[in-house]
Amino acid sequence: MKPRQRPSPAQRLRNMHGLLEQAYGPQHWWPAETPFEVILGAYLTQNTAWKAVERSLANLRQAGALTLDGLRSIALEDLQNLIRPSGFHTRKAPALKAFVAMLDREFSSSLDVFAASPTATLRPRLLALPGVGPETADAILLYALNHPVPVADEYLRRVALRHRLLAPPPGPAGYDSLVDLTRQAFAVDPSVSSSRLFNQFHALTVAVGKAHCARTPHCTGCPLAADLQFVTPAVVKDAKRK
DNA sequence: CGCCAGGCCGTGT
DNA sequence: ACACGGCATGGC
């Protein structure tokens, strides 16, 4: 018998994953028909509600711009107008064009060639693109290219802070520490595809985040805990007032 | 009407 | 290394 000691943050995160699976089940994320569509969604959803992204994607579909060829052909100005519903169109449209240009110039215009490259070269290449930060890069790697990388986001940060799995000061350094924490949490069990694990874990994070982290600071009926307070933007702002 | 959404980037400490 | 404001639009 081992002496009972406090579980590590990584162990606690893994336990939370189990609770969330029981509560929400398989998530079959990311809502998209093709890998290329995943990539478009990853760009468009930056600081934007998914509902709005859906309308932009519908516009793109109707214009035949949901494919690599379609996106290459379309004029920048038209692209801007099609994705207007999801906001930041003056930044996101050129960013999408830059992605296509990169595939054309460096990867034989082939998403398959791109996906077949090692993660260690793809991630820096993605981060060097305009409009691609760590979360977008990792979402593309995991959900479009099926590379085994964790995806961290605002919801995971809230959950981690709320349950004190992280030191208080968040920020850009916070992203990497969240990724490290996730890697540690799922470092065991090589029998399961880590892509699938990371996929399911991030999806569950968003599910619980939408249900309990978004609006109401006080978490009632949350599978993780019913007696703590989520760090919503409003809570952060309120804390700053003092 | 005000707040926020599945971030990222440039600028200022 | 962080903090902060701007970027645009639509849902609730």
Side-chain angles (χ1 to χ4, degrees):
Chain A
M1 282 293 166
K2 299 174 61 174
R4 288 163 29 96
Q5 53 183 350
R6 226 181 145 58
S8 69
Q11 287 174 306
R12 293 172 60 198
L13 194 65
R14 187 177 175 81
N15 290 339
M16 292 164 123
H17 177 69
L19 292 175
L20 292 175
E21 277 204 306
Q22 290 178 35
Y24 296 108
Q27 296 296 301
H28 341 278
W29 237 36
W30 175 296
E33 300 282 323
T34 67
F36 195 72
E37 195 178 324
V38 173
I39 293 172
L40 291 171
Y43 275 89
L44 296 180
T45 195
Q46 290 169 2
N47 198 47
T48 303
W50 184 256
K51 190 78 179 178
V53 176
E54 286 180 325
R55 302 205 294 120
S56 288
L57 289 175
N59 288 345
L60 291 171
R61 189 184 305 278
Q62 188 162 11
L66 271 187
T67 65
L68 179 56
D69 287 335
L71 198 61
R72 187 190 301 111
S73 308
I74 195 170
L76 177 60
E77 192 181 336
D78 294 333
L79 179 58
Q80 285 193 15
N81 289 328
L82 291 174
I83 68 173
R84 191 178 286 272
S86 47
F88 304 109
H89 52 282
T90 59
R91 286 169 164 273
K92 288 173 178 175
L96 288 170
K97 284 290 191 180
F99 180 86
V100 173
M102 176 201 64
L103 278 188
D104 285 345
R105 287 173 15 216
E106 302 171 32
F107 297 91
S108 310
S109 301
S110 165
L111 197 56
D112 290 330
V113 172
F114 189 66
S117 307
T119 308
T121 68
L122 289 190
R123 194 169 191 275
R125 187 65 193 87
L126 284 168
L127 290 175
L129 288 170
V132 177
E135 183 179 343
T136 305
D138 290 337
I140 290 173
L141 284 168
L142 179 63
Y143 290 105
L145 310 180
N146 206 34
H147 284 229
V149 300
V151 177
D153 68 353
E154 175 63 20
Y155 290 135
L156 178 57
R157 209 193 94 232
R158 288 179 196 174
V159 171
L161 284 177
R162 176 173 180 270
H163 292 268
R164 308 191 179 249
L165 305 180
L166 273 187
Y175 186 89
D176 290 333
S177 39
L178 285 171
V179 167
D180 290 342
L181 184 64
T182 306
R183 283 195 185 286
Q184 291 169 34
F186 300 105
V188 290
D189 204 353
S191 67
V192 181
S193 151
S194 49
S195 287
R196 189 168 292 278
L197 263 179
F198 292 145
N199 184 325
Q200 171 74 349
F201 174 67
H202 179 233
L204 287 170
T205 301
V206 174
V208 72
K210 284 185 170 179
H212 298 285
C213 298
R215 301 275 174 167
T216 49
H218 210 70
C219 180
T220 56
C222 176
L224 296 181
D227 57 342
L228 294 178
Q229 187 175 324
F230 272 118
V231 185
T232 64
V235 170
V236 173
K237 189 195 292 182
D238 202 47
K240 279 172 139 178
R241 288 185 145 287
K242 69 174 171 48

